[in-house]
Amino acid sequence: MAPASTSNDPDETPHYPAGLRIIAVYKAVKTIGLIIIAIAAFRLDRQDSFHHLVQWLEHLQLTDSNDMRWSLVHLLESMGPAKFVAVGIVALVYAAIFATEGIGLWMRKYWAEWFTVIATGSLVPVELYECIERFSWLKLAILVANVLIVIYLVRVAMRPREGHGAPAAHSQGS
């Protein structure tokens, strides 16, 4: 059995791309956002909280976005407070997926690279459809970011690495 290397030589330490840390932080931000959405949705499931929000939106004076405000009021009224529980649950499920991706990438887990490729890649067709149907620059930016993340992660995940079928960098003779 070969002794474990304790050298601080940078050539001996495996290279871990900084991009994976950036993606992990991106996933953490999305997780936090979804948790906030879930908390808000669970609070709106009560009739009085729901009606206070609708009344607040009705009386809000926003001249530039008046049409958007009324669209939101009508959407909320058509949904009713009971559907916000489902919104909260879906938000928490997505938050759990994003948290798993982010934590796995931050902890340098090989499986997290492929998990993130699959999870992020599976949403690209939906994001593309949404971008085509109801274009916004934010939707386009999210679509482009997720496509770039998938491409980047596939390249990173497919790189040779020690312990995953790649030959050892510093193999010693017997």
Side-chain angles (χ1 to χ4, degrees):
M1 184 168 169
S5 173
T6 57
S7 170
N8 289 332
D9 184 6
D11 292 334
E12 289 188 28
T13 57
H15 175 68
Y16 193 73
L20 295 180
R21 295 286 181 155
I22 294 168
I23 295 169
V25 170
Y26 173 65
K27 296 294 181 174
V29 169
K30 288 170 76 171
T31 299
I32 292 166
L34 284 168
I35 290 171
I36 291 169
I37 289 170
I39 290 169
F42 288 136
R43 289 187 176 195
L44 288 175
D45 77 327
R46 294 188 294 272
Q47 195 72 24
D48 58 336
S49 298
F50 177 79
H51 285 300
H52 283 120
L53 174 65
V54 171
Q55 287 175 347
W56 179 76
L57 284 171
E58 287 175 343
H59 293 94
L60 190 63
Q61 297 298 320
L62 297 173
T63 55
D64 291 342
S65 60
N66 207 24
D67 291 338
M68 184 176 72
R69 177 177 54 110
W70 284 110
S71 296
L72 182 59
V73 167
H74 295 305
L75 174 69
L76 290 172
E77 287 175 336
S78 69
M79 286 179 60
K83 291 192 179 170
F84 282 97
V85 172
V87 170
I89 290 170
V90 169
L92 286 179
V93 167
Y94 275 106
I97 292 169
F98 292 148
T100 302
E101 292 172 333
I103 291 168
L105 290 173
W106 190 264
M107 296 179 69
R108 303 176 176 186
K109 300 297 182 184
Y110 180 67
W111 59 263
E113 295 169 11
W114 284 111
F115 181 71
T116 306
V117 165
I118 293 166
T120 305
S122 68
L123 296 176
V124 167
V126 176
E127 292 168 352
L128 180 61
Y129 173 80
E130 277 295 313
C131 201
I132 291 170
E133 284 296 310
R134 291 180 286 277
F135 179 82
S136 77
W137 290 106
L138 178 62
K139 288 179 184 179
L140 180 62
I142 291 170
L143 172 64
V144 169
N146 284 334
V147 167
L148 291 174
I149 286 171
V150 169
I151 292 169
Y152 175 77
L153 284 173
V154 167
R155 293 185 69 193
V156 168
M158 293 185 73
R159 77 186 187 279
R161 56 183 89 205
E162 201 161 322
H164 291 281
H170 299 286
S171 58
Q172 297 177 352
S174 303

